[in-house]
């Protein structure tokens, strides 16, 4: 079986580095590049940390590109500054140079180019906002044919969002952050005919990052990637943290581990509910990851990160 072509688009949160570390362990995936979106991060440390992780995992042939797109509703600085911490973790700084190449063109143009040159359709693994994807669709609408599907951590269908009123006064709490950062772009992607497989808060709420899980990772820290994963999770253990991007990425290598459910939805782009992925009869059909075996999932992570 040939490997599935995958282009990753992440937005530099702690969870995004962990998702990258998981993707790198998947044997049936050919990772064509990583685009970093300046959303849940500060972009320079996020790009540097991503390249250092690829170095550590032997991925120094994989190009990393810095996206120049902008959203309308910035992530809180409290979340974004974790990118500086990860970039300074000792295990990522044993060498004084980075081998993994930094693409010179903006990440959104890089995404377009990779898709245009691809010999077969590419799966987009998106663990941040959909802004780059909307950009490539606007630039070259025919590019849809080169996108096999979008696997996306985003949205909240039948549960509250995570854009909380105390962070964002005036909002009604229905939005998920990856949509809220740039609802217009999410709506643009919704206008396409591309297959969308969402990993919404509905399912990520079932996979919290627990103290027990982080301590289990610690017990296998003789493996460098477990050591790094444990450091990353320790950084966020005081927060209400979930395996958002990591669960979404798990789907790529293990689609049979998930039950999918179809929904008709629309993206609310303005007002107090902007960023809501609203379930409405007659709306755009998407598939959402609906169920996963939790104990299988945590065990899978522990096994994959034994490297
Ligand atoms: Ca993310």
């Amino acid at each position: 079986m040939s490997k599935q072509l995958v282009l990753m688009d992440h937005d530099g949160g702690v969870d995004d580095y962990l998702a990258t570390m998981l993707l790198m362990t998947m044997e049936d995936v050919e990772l064509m590049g990583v685009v970093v979106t300046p959303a849940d991060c500060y972009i320079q440390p996020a790009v540097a940390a991503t390249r250092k992780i690829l170095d550590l995992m032997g991925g120094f042939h994989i190009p990393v590109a810095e996206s120049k797109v902008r959203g309308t509703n910035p992530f809180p600085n409290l979340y974004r500054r974790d990118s500086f911490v990860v970039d300074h973790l000792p295990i990522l700084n044993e060498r004084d140079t980075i081998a993994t190449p930094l693409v010179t063109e903006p990440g959104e143009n890089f995404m377009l180019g990779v898709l245009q040159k691809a010999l077969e359709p590419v799966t987009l693994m998106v663990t941040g906002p959909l802004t780059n994807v909307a950009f490539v669709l606007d630039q070259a609408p025919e590019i849809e044919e080169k996108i096999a599907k979008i696997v996306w951590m985003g949205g909240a269908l039948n549960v509250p969002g995570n854009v909380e009123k105390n962070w964002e006064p005036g909002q009604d709490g229905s939005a998920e952050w990856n949509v809220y950062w740039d609802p217009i772009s999410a709506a643009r992607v919704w206008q396409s005919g591309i297959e969308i497989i969402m990993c919404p808060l509905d399912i990520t709420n079932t996979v919290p990052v627990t103290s027990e899980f982080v301590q289990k990772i610690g017990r296998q820290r003789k493996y460098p990637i477990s050591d790094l994963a444990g450091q990353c999770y320790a950084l966020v253990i005081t927060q209400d943290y979930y395996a958002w991007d990591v669960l979404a990425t798990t789907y790529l290598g293990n689609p049979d581990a998930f039950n999918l459910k179809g929904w008709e939805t629309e993206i609310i782009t303005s007002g107090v509910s902007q960023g809501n992925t609203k379930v409405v009869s007659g709306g755009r059909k998407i598939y959402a990851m609906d169920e996963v075996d939790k104990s299988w999932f945590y065990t899978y992570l522990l096994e994959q990160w034994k490297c």
Side-chain angles (χ1 to χ4, degrees), residues 11 16 127-128 245:
D11 71 334
D16 295 274
T127 57
D245 299 346

Side-chain angles (χ1 to χ4, degrees), residues 68-90:
K68 307 286 189 188
V69 298
R70 294 290 178 265
T72 46
N73 297 303
F75 273 78
N77 292 2
L78 184 68
Y79 301 174
R80 297 171 65 202
R81 65 188 191 178
D82 287 341
S83 53
F84 279 104
V85 180
V86 174
D87 186 40
H88 286 81
L89 291 176

Side-chain angles (χ1 to χ4, degrees), residues 205-233:
N205 284 347
T206 70
V207 288
V209 173
T210 63
S211 180
E212 181 198 8
F213 173 62
V214 178
Q215 286 171 351
K216 274 186 184 166
I217 296 179
R219 288 197 281 280
Q220 59 184 49
R221 72 177 279 261
K222 66 179 178 183
Y223 299 101
I225 301 309
S226 289
D227 191 23
L228 176 56
Q231 298 271 354
C232 287
Y233 278 132

